[in-house]
């Protein structure tokens, strides 16, 4: 009997531990891993109102004080929360695992042209039936709050997640399957009375099957526009470090420009956790824009929503991790750090030392964001924000 009791006790301990594991996991979704939810960041909203915006508070500086970042980051200008400062279009992504983004979209929704909740995935079954997953995340009350009394369009992101090459080639080879896939997406868009959808498919193919992919997107654009719905296509950068070619070209974008209303350009992840460095050097961002639309009067410029990261990178020597705004503030509070401006990157770098180890932290600041908004204004593009749940609340005074 004693041995049976011990076995039962051990089993109960194992069950308790395994049931507890999901509650102990907290991490952010890297833009490079978009479809793989690693856990929810249950960041509490500490948003507060200020009597002046960040420009009037003289916080947009190449030499900010770390104590000001710590003390001011949650303070936004109440009277301008419904005023759009940036003249171009702005797309704001919201993810269920950084749920403070839901609050940001409700508070500052008037500043955003498009809000794209990251809810949906399109799936293909072996018998060529297409269906949409993730509908359990849809929050109709929140959508209503975001749109109420505003011109903001809610257009969920749809990811082609978990598809094999065979899935793609089989669909591309059949006009009927192409239509079935698009109609499955359109149905959920129409049923929820959304203004359109943001489609992420290009990077999943790694730059291959471009002709077939462009044919598919052409069909999608035609069917979306017939239904009076907008289509935004997520695209990778056309060029990487040291002028290494990307997975999309100027010719690709030109051929798609009539089918697609806007392009959400992923101008971030220039560096990564295994490659220390800046998130998105400003000269590289400009090169990406010029690579796709070299002429200043090109209509494609107005179709580009240039990506801005609201997450950062935290490095210990050659190893790193992505970091959220809340985690960034915790690092500043905990460690004696210094901050410096890199003119070439137009980014700030945080340096600190802990346990005989040097650390570097690259995270957006008011100055780095302001510089990129000025670039977008100069180039005649819009911007896209990945993603607002990862940012600091006083950032939105600038949009």
């Amino acid at each position: 009997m004693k041995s049976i009791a011990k076995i039962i006790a051990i089993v109960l301990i194992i069950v308790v531990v395994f049931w507890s594991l999901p509650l102990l996991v907290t991490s952010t979704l890297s833009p490079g891993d978009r479809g793989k939810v690693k856990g929810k960041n249950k960041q509490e909203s500490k948003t507060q109102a200020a009597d002046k915006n960040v420009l009037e508070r003289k916080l947009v500086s190449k030499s900010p004080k770390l104590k000001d970042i710590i003390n001011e980051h949650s303070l936004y200008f109440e009277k301008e929360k419904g005023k759009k400062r940036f003249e171009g279009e702005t797309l704001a992504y919201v993810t269920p695992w950084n749920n403070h983004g839901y609050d940001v979209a409700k508070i500052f929704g008037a500043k955003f042209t498009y809000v794209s909740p990251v809810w949906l995935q399109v799936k293909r079954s072996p018998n060529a039936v297409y269906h949409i997953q993730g509908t359990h995340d849809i929050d109709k009350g929140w959508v209503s709050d975001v749109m109420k009394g505003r011109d903001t369009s809610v257009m969920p992101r749809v990811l082609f997640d978990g598809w094999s090459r065979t899935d793609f080639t089989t669909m591309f080879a059949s006009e009927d399957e192409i239509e079935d896939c698009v109609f499955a997406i359109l149905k959920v868009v129409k049923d929820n009375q959304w203004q359109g959808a943001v489609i992420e498919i290009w990077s999943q193919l790694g730059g291959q099957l471009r002709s077939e992919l462009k044919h598919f997107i052409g069909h999608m654009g035609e069917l979306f526009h017939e239904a009076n719905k907008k289509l935004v296509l997520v695209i990778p950068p056309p060029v990487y470090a040291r002028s290494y070619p990307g997975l999309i070209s100027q010719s690709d974008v030109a051929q798609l420009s009539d089918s697609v209303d806007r392009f959400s350009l992923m101008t971030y992840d220039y560096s990564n956790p295994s490659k220390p460095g800046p998130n998105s050097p400003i000269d590289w961002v400009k090169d990406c824009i010029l690579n796709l639309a070299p002429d200043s009067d090109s209509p494609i410029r107005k179709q580009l929503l240039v990506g801005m990261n609201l997450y950062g990178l935290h490095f210990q020597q050659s190893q790193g991790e992505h970091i959220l705004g809340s985690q960034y503030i915790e690092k500043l509070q905990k460690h004696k750090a210094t901050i410096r401006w890199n003119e070439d990157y137009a980014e700030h770098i945080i340096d600190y030392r802990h346990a005989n180890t040097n650390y570097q932290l690259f995270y957006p600041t008011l100055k780095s964001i302001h510089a990129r908004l000025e670039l977008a204004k100069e180039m005649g593009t819009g911007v896209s924000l990945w993603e607002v749940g990862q940012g600091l609340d006083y950032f939105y005074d600038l949009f």
Side-chain angles (χ1 to χ4, degrees):
M1 292 296 290
K2 289 183 179 179
S3 61
I4 294 174
K6 287 182 180 179
I7 292 171
I8 293 172
I10 291 170
V11 170
L12 287 173
I13 290 171
I14 292 171
V15 169
V16 169
V17 169
F18 272 90
W19 273 99
S20 300
L21 280 176
L23 300 177
L24 300 175
V25 177
T26 56
S27 60
T28 179
L29 188 78
S30 159
D33 289 329
R34 296 177 178 207
K36 303 175 185 175
V37 179
K38 299 180 183 176
K40 293 188 178 182
N41 181 309
K42 300 189 177 180
Q43 177 179 334
E44 295 295 328
S45 175
K46 296 180 182 178
T47 305
Q48 303 173 59
D51 57 1
K52 294 180 181 179
N53 64 43
V54 292
L55 293 163
E56 294 168 334
R57 282 144 63 194
K58 301 188 185 305
L59 297 175
V60 183
S61 169
K62 291 182 180 179
S63 304
K65 296 177 181 178
L66 292 179
K67 66 176 184 179
D68 286 342
I69 296 176
I70 294 169
N71 294 332
E72 302 277 347
H73 73 274
S74 64
L75 303 175
Y76 70 93
F77 187 27
E78 169 75 23
K79 292 183 179 178
E80 289 186 357
K81 68 180 182 181
K83 176 183 177 182
K84 197 175 189 318
R85 179 179 295 275
F86 174 60
E87 295 176 0
E89 294 185 340
T90 302
L91 165 63
Y93 288 101
V94 178
T95 64
W97 48 92
N98 290 322
N99 57 13
H100 183 56
Y102 286 106
D103 298 324
V104 171
K106 287 196 293 186
I107 295 169
F108 304 108
K111 293 175 177 284
F112 307 139
T113 315
Y114 316 102
V115 171
S116 185
V118 178
W119 287 334
L120 308 177
Q121 309 90 45
V122 59
K123 299 288 184 177
R124 180 183 184 274
S125 66
N127 58 347
V129 173
Y130 296 87
H131 59 282
I132 306 300
Q133 288 187 352
T135 53
H136 61 279
D137 279 323
I138 296 172
D139 185 337
K140 293 184 178 181
W142 173 80
V143 171
S144 177
D145 288 342
V146 170
M147 295 177 59
K148 190 179 299 180
R150 299 166 174 168
D151 294 329
T152 306
S153 296
V154 173
M155 298 172 51
R157 197 278 306 266
V158 181
L159 178 67
F160 282 67
D161 186 36
W163 282 49
S164 68
R165 183 184 175 90
T166 300
D167 288 330
F168 282 115
T169 55
T170 304
M171 181 185 69
F172 290 158
S174 169
E175 297 295 318
D176 288 339
E177 283 207 35
I178 287 174
E179 289 194 356
D180 288 345
C181 179
V182 176
F183 283 139
I185 298 170
L186 267 176
K187 183 178 187 304
V188 73
V189 171
K190 291 178 180 178
D191 287 350
N192 287 280
Q193 298 181 320
W194 295 325
Q195 287 70 44
V198 178
I199 304 297
E200 185 161 350
I201 184 175
W202 195 279
S203 295
Q204 275 61 34
L205 283 163
Q208 300 179 350
L209 302 175
R210 293 197 197 188
S211 295
E212 294 86 347
L213 184 50
K214 285 182 281 190
H215 177 74
F216 170 71
I217 294 168
H219 263 296
M220 179 176 283
E222 182 179 348
L223 294 172
F224 263 64
H225 294 155
E226 284 179 0
N228 198 30
K229 302 296 181 183
K230 289 184 177 180
L231 177 62
V232 175
L233 179 68
V234 180
I235 58 173
V239 62
Y240 291 103
R242 301 181 183 87
S243 301
Y244 190 82
L247 304 180
I248 197 166
S249 69
Q250 178 185 342
S251 174
D252 294 326
V253 169
Q255 291 175 55
L256 292 168
S257 60
D258 289 337
S259 303
V260 173
D261 294 285
R262 300 291 183 270
F263 297 96
S264 179
L265 176 59
M266 298 165 67
T267 37
Y268 28 67
D269 284 351
Y270 181 87
S271 304
N272 57 61
S274 60
K275 176 190 168 187
N279 294 294
S280 181
I282 198 163
D283 285 345
W284 172 66
V285 175
K286 187 172 183 178
D287 285 345
C288 287
I289 297 170
L290 292 173
N291 195 285
L292 295 177
D295 299 326
S296 60
D297 59 351
S298 169
I300 292 175
R301 291 271 186 103
K302 294 182 179 180
Q303 290 181 277
L304 293 178
L305 302 173
V306 178
M308 296 174 60
N309 57 288
L310 296 184
Y311 60 91
L313 287 167
H314 180 233
F315 295 105
Q316 174 188 345
Q317 297 175 348
S318 61
Q319 296 181 342
E321 60 183 350
H322 289 102
I323 190 168
L324 300 176
S326 56
Q327 296 165 326
Y328 166 72
I329 296 299
E330 288 173 6
K331 298 288 184 189
L332 297 187
Q333 291 171 331
K334 185 176 180 180
H335 302 288
K336 186 177 181 180
T338 59
I339 186 168
R340 54 193 168 94
W341 175 256
N342 185 295
E343 197 69 43
D344 292 333
Y345 304 154
E347 293 187 22
H348 279 101
I349 305 170
I350 299 287
D351 296 289
Y352 71 91
R353 187 172 176 81
H354 175 66
N356 295 319
T357 303
N358 293 324
Y359 291 84
Q360 274 196 341
L361 207 164
F362 293 81
Y363 185 82
T365 58
L366 290 168
K367 182 62 180 178
S368 70
I369 290 174
H370 187 263
R372 282 152 182 77
L373 288 173
E374 288 296 301
L375 175 64
K377 181 179 178 181
E378 173 194 339
M379 304 297 283
T381 73
V383 296
S384 56
L385 309 179
W386 184 272
E387 47 89 2
V388 293
Q390 298 176 346
L392 301 176
D393 290 326
Y394 74 168
F395 286 167
Y396 306 107
D397 279 6
L398 297 175
F399 290 94

